[in-house]
């Protein structure tokens, strides 16, 4: 799935499109909101109205992504390759560990 690139190469390319401080901040908060939305959606069988919270978190997370890319002046990497949707989470995790 990663093709002929290492995890570090994918993260480095992703980081190259996320240099503006506002974009980095927006992604730092937006990515976990999207992940939390997806996890919250899993709770809907137990809590039927959880989808509403999931929808709000999902929209807010993606709004932050869009705002960040407006400051960056570049389109999201996943416009070029869908696999960057997964790399974003890896970038966020590396950033939280001080490696990105």
């Amino acid at each position: 799935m990663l093709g002929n690139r290492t995890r570090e190469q994918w993260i480095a390319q992703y980081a190259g499109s996320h240099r503006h401080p506002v974009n980095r901040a927006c992604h730092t908060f937006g990515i976990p909101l999207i992940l939390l939305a997806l996890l919250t959606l899993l709770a809907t069988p137990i809590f039927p109205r959880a989808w509403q919270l999931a929808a709000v978190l999902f929209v807010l997370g993606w709004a932050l992504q869009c705002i960040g890319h407006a400051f960056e002046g570049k389109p999201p990497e996943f416009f070029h390759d869908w696999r960057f949707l997964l790399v974003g989470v890896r970038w966020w995790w590396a950033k939280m560990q001080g490696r990105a």
Side-chain angles (χ1 to χ4, degrees):
M1 185 170 101
L2 291 176
N4 58 355
R5 299 184 212 173
T6 66
R7 177 180 297 181
E8 291 75 22
Q9 289 170 324
W10 281 98
I11 291 172
Q13 183 175 345
Y14 187 91
S17 294
H18 299 83
R19 295 189 186 276
H20 194 283
V22 173
N23 191 21
R24 291 178 65 85
C26 286
H27 279 66
T28 298
F29 293 104
I31 290 172
L33 285 177
I34 294 167
L35 291 174
L36 186 58
L38 296 175
L39 290 174
T40 303
L41 202 56
L42 295 174
T44 55
I46 299 168
F47 304 103
R49 292 191 177 178
W51 71 268
Q52 295 168 327
L53 176 60
V56 169
L57 294 171
F58 192 79
V59 169
L60 183 58
W62 278 107
L64 285 170
Q65 305 288 332
C66 293
I67 291 166
H69 279 284
F71 278 90
E72 189 75 44
K74 292 182 181 178
E77 285 288 339
F78 72 85
F79 282 7
H80 306 292
D81 188 335
W82 68 270
R83 293 175 288 187
F84 278 105
L85 287 169
L86 304 174
V87 175
V89 176
R90 290 180 176 177
W91 170 86
W92 177 83
W93 185 248
K95 186 176 184 308
M96 294 299 100
Q97 296 176 330
R99 297 184 297 133

